[in-house]
């Protein structure tokens, strides 16, 4: 049977673009891709990239305060010009969108600027009704923000909207306690908004190491974010130009804007997957095996639409492995077990890889090494902010199985720690590295004695600080 393409990719985000480029450019497959919005997807257009540029923008007042601490009397960040920032941001995103499209074209991928849906196991239909056949189809449609389903929630923003605001609100309620809620609370506060964060738990960043969660929550508070913990918004009503939010405890408050950061869900609705027998999970995610293959053999899925680990580098790796396996005769799987992540808070990020202290305690005896200190740079400038570094090590000189950092550039550090951890390095091998001084990261190789033992028979036995 002959097909128009060897591969048709639906979705031009992190996973889809990588798979298309590798299949066509490196393995010589005939590839088509459909993107209904802007090439680059969530990460490039309405996620990681614009978000991190906003983090950089939001740091200026803190930098000015630090400069004053170093003798630059009168240093100030001045007034933040959102309009000027947005203009530059739009230009940069357009440049990146062009680069992504250019990379596909250079790899001989046919780019269809259209929504696509499935008709059968080998056929897709574009928005203009035209149909294209392919031996393999890759679903890489990502996820969408989810609103909480309370009355009036259409009055609130989701993360996609923040990048398109005409002006910054004076006050905003951020609902949620995950990556997006915490990052945007920090960004908007740094840019001068009055930010309140409402979350239904006691500390933000559920799933992270408890000690890191406490520090992240406290930092938001110290930065000036008003925390409503635990709090659950129940209803939104328009009140003049603002929004009145009623909470479950009977209280209510008025905010100029509300941002729902209450999670994301796979974007499979209306794609025709169910109809052709592709099995979906309870959240609408495409169920795939370790090769990213769905229940229909010609159909594969990568990235957020599979709801495995919803991060850009994971989507990229899944897309690359799929292309190598199916078109390059190089079978490759993704190891989802050891994936690092960072939450871009200010001034201290939270970055993590491997087991949390709680998970390690539940899984057996471990030694926990903790270093907590005030970094030289901010201490000199007059800040009391503490940094925390934690290594979790299998008892008896075993492997380092967890690393958690709360501090400046923690994401940069965890990226490097991921290398020895991926190789199964022991604490002794960490310590064999000679420190680079004076740095923050040197603490990772100079923590001499465990702070406590956890798990097993000697659970929760404190043995003094490192
Ligand atoms: C605010 C925010 C910040 C983030 N920050 C980070 C971060 O710092 N680090 C990190 O690792 N991850 C971050 N993420 C997560 C990251 O963006 C995603 O994990 C990643 O983009 C997933 O890639 P993907 O290819 O699965 O899907 P996406 O990048 O979402 O791409 C899917 C594409 O498919 C298109 N599409 C959907 N349906 C159709 C259809 N029927 N036809 C044609 N096209 C279609 C969409 O328009 C979209 O372009 C962030 C996410 C958000 C929302
Ligand atoms: N720095 C990064 O790497 C980064 C940044 C942003 C997003 N991401 C990715 O995107 C994903 C989605 O981020 P997210 O923050 O939207 O999701 P999330 O799952 O991390 O957080 C959702 C939050 O909303 C809360 N929530 C859910 N339903 C609610 C309701 N009805 N009422 C009140 N609160 C409710 C949850 O308790 C949780 O705190 C992340 O899990 C992550 O994989 C990564």
């Amino acid at each position: 049977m002959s097909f128009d393409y060897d591969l048709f990719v639906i979705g031009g985000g992190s996973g889809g673009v990588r798979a298309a480029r590798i299949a066509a450019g490196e393995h010589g497959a005939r590839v088509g891709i459909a993107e209904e919005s802007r090439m680059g997807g969530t990460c490039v257009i309405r996620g990681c990239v614009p978000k991190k540029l906003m983090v950089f923008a939001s740091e200026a007042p803190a930098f000015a305060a630090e400069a004053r601490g170093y003798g630059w009397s009168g240093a100030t960040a001045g007034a933040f010009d959102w309009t000027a920032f947005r203009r530059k941001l739009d230009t940069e995103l357009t440049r990146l969108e062009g680069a992504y499209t250019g990379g596909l074209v250079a790899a001989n991928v046919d780019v269809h600027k259209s929504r696509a849906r499935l008709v059968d196991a080998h056929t897709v239909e574009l928005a203009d009704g035209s149909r294209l056949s392919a031996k393999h189809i890759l679903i890489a449609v990502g996820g969408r923000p989810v609103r909480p389903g309370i009355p009036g929630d259409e009055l609130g923003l989701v993360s996609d909207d923040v990048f398109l605001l005409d002006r910054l609100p004076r006050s905003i309620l951020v609902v949620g306690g995950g990556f997006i809620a915490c990052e945007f609370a920090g960004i908007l506060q740094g840019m001068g908004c009055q930010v309140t964060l409402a979350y239904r738990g006691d500390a933000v960043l559920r799933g992270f190491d408890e000690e890191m969660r406490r520090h992240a929550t406290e930092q938001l508070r110290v930065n000036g974010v008003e925390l409503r913990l635990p709090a659950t918004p129940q209803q939104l009503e328009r009140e003049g130009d603002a929004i009145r939010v009623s909470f479950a405890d009977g209280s209510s408050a008025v905010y100029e804007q509300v941002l729902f950061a209450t999670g994301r869900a796979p974007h499979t609705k209306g794609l025709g997957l169910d109809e052709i027998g592709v099995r979906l999970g309870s959240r609408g995610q495409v169920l795939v095996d370790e090769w990213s293959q769905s229940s229909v053999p010609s159909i594969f899925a990568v990235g957020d639409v599979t709801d495995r680990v919803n991060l850009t580098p994971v989507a990229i790796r899944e897309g690359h492995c799929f292309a190598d396996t199916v078109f390059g005769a190089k079978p490759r799987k993704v190891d989802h077990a050891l994936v690092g992540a960072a939450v871009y808070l200010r001034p201290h990020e939270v970055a993590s890889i491997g087991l949390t202290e709680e998970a390690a305690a539940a899984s057996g005896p471990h030694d926990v090494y903790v270093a907590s200190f005030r970094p030289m740079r901010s201490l000199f400038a007059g800040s009391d902010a503490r940094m925390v570094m934690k290594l979790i090590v299998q008892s008896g000189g075993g492997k380092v199985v967890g690393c958690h950092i709360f501090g400046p550039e923690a994401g940069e550090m965890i990226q490097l720690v991921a290398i020895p951890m991926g190789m199964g390095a022991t604490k002794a091998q960490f310590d064999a590295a000679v420190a680079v001084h004076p740095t923050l990261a040197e603490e990772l190789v100079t923590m001499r004695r465990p702070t406590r033992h956890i798990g097993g028979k000697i659970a929760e036995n404190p043995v003094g600080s490192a």
Side-chain angles (χ1 to χ4, degrees):
M1 188 171 170
S2 77
F3 298 100
D4 296 320
Y5 293 110
D6 300 315
L7 170 67
F8 196 90
V9 179
I10 306 183
S14 307
V17 167
R18 174 60 69 95
R21 226 166 29 76
I22 299 300
E26 292 196 6
H27 304 313
R30 293 169 307 141
V31 180
I33 189 169
E35 168 53 57
E36 66 175 338
S37 172
R38 297 177 68 180
M39 197 60 81
T42 304
C43 177
V44 177
I45 305 296
R46 55 193 88 85
C48 332
V49 173
K51 178 276 303 286
K52 195 139 189 205
L53 291 169
M54 285 176 74
V55 171
F56 294 145
S58 72
E59 286 174 313
F63 285 160
E66 190 169 270
R68 291 194 296 276
Y70 275 86
W72 296 89
S73 49
T76 148
F80 181 58
D81 184 344
W82 170 256
T83 309
F85 172 77
R86 253 214 66 190
R87 203 176 305 123
K88 278 199 78 178
L89 184 65
D90 291 346
T91 306
E92 176 61 2
L93 299 188
T94 302
R95 184 187 72 78
L96 289 170
E97 184 185 357
Y100 273 74
T101 306
L104 287 165
V105 171
N108 286 322
V109 176
D110 281 351
V111 175
H112 301 271
K113 288 182 151 289
S114 167
R115 182 167 171 78
R117 55 180 279 276
L118 286 129
V119 177
D120 62 40
H122 293 285
T123 312
V124 296
E125 184 177 272
L126 303 182
D128 64 4
S130 58
R131 292 187 174 192
L132 297 161
S133 64
K135 186 168 183 199
H136 301 280
I137 294 171
L138 181 68
I139 311 297
V141 295
R144 283 282 160 100
V146 176
R147 289 167 199 266
I150 57 175
D153 69 4
E154 71 284 355
L155 297 174
L157 308 169
V158 292
S159 60
D160 295 357
D161 304 320
V162 177
F163 306 112
L164 303 173
L165 286 170
D166 287 333
R167 61 181 190 79
L168 286 179
R170 278 181 300 279
S171 67
I172 187 163
L173 173 72
V174 178
V175 183
F179 281 77
I180 294 180
C182 293
E183 290 182 342
F184 277 114
I187 288 167
L188 294 167
Q189 191 279 332
M191 288 179 168
C193 305
Q194 201 182 316
V195 179
T196 305
L197 183 141
Y199 174 53
R200 52 194 180 183
D202 290 331
V204 296
L205 295 178
R206 189 163 58 90
F208 279 80
D209 186 277
E210 289 295 327
E211 195 170 356
M212 302 294 136
R213 295 181 67 192
R214 283 201 311 277
H215 284 286
T217 307
E218 185 53 24
Q219 177 174 258
L220 284 166
R221 194 193 308 275
V222 167
N223 280 357
V225 173
E226 185 192 336
L227 298 179
R228 290 189 71 131
L229 307 175
T232 308
Q234 279 199 319
Q235 181 172 322
L236 273 61
E237 293 162 291
R238 171 76 53 210
E239 190 164 300
D241 286 343
I243 300 163
R244 177 168 292 280
V245 181
S246 308
F247 294 89
D249 65 1
S251 65
S252 77
V254 174
Y255 306 94
E256 193 176 322
Q257 295 277 15
V258 174
L259 168 64
F260 288 111
T262 43
R264 294 172 62 82
H267 187 217
T268 46
K269 209 166 155 219
L271 213 53
L273 289 165
D274 242 349
E275 294 84 328
I276 63 167
V278 174
R279 285 210 309 126
L280 302 179
S282 59
R283 304 192 70 236
Q285 76 274 29
V286 179
L287 297 177
V288 290
D289 66 10
E290 57 199 340
W291 302 103
S292 297
Q293 190 169 29
S294 80
S295 55
V296 173
S298 59
I299 298 179
F300 292 71
V302 295
D304 286 7
V305 74
T306 63
D307 203 19
R308 287 177 279 184
V309 178
N310 298 327
L311 296 172
T312 283
V314 177
I316 290 174
R317 180 64 61 86
E318 289 168 357
H320 203 136
C321 287
F322 155 78
D324 282 351
T325 302
V326 176
F327 301 100
K330 282 193 282 183
R332 286 213 298 144
K333 292 185 215 174
V334 180
D335 178 5
H336 292 96
L338 199 63
V339 175
V343 190
Y344 299 101
L345 305 176
R346 297 175 302 105
H348 292 184
E349 300 172 354
V350 174
S352 255
I353 184 164
L355 295 183
T356 62
E357 185 170 340
E358 296 69 38
S363 75
H366 289 83
D367 299 329
V368 180
Y369 295 77
V370 183
S372 168
F373 57 96
R374 291 180 292 174
M376 178 167 101
R377 173 175 169 153
S378 48
L379 178 64
F380 184 85
S383 164
D384 270 340
R386 295 192 82 80
M387 168 162 191
V388 182
M389 286 170 143
K390 181 187 283 193
L391 288 179
I392 298 169
V393 181
Q394 290 170 337
S395 283
K399 285 197 295 190
V400 177
V401 292
C403 178
H404 308 278
I405 303 176
F406 175 73
E409 308 292 352
E412 303 288 347
M413 289 183 231
I414 218 79
Q415 176 64 86
L416 299 181
V417 171
I419 300 170
M421 280 184 65
M423 297 166 78
T426 61
K427 178 71 167 58
Q429 288 170 319
F430 267 60
D431 295 348
V434 175
V436 177
H437 183 75
T439 64
L440 299 170
E442 68 181 307
E443 291 291 333
L444 288 168
V445 298
T446 56
M447 288 188 260
R448 287 182 44 242
R449 296 212 330 270
T451 309
R452 50 188 172 266
H453 301 298
I454 55 166
K457 290 199 179 70
I458 45 173
E460 312 304 339
N461 176 22
V463 292
S465 58

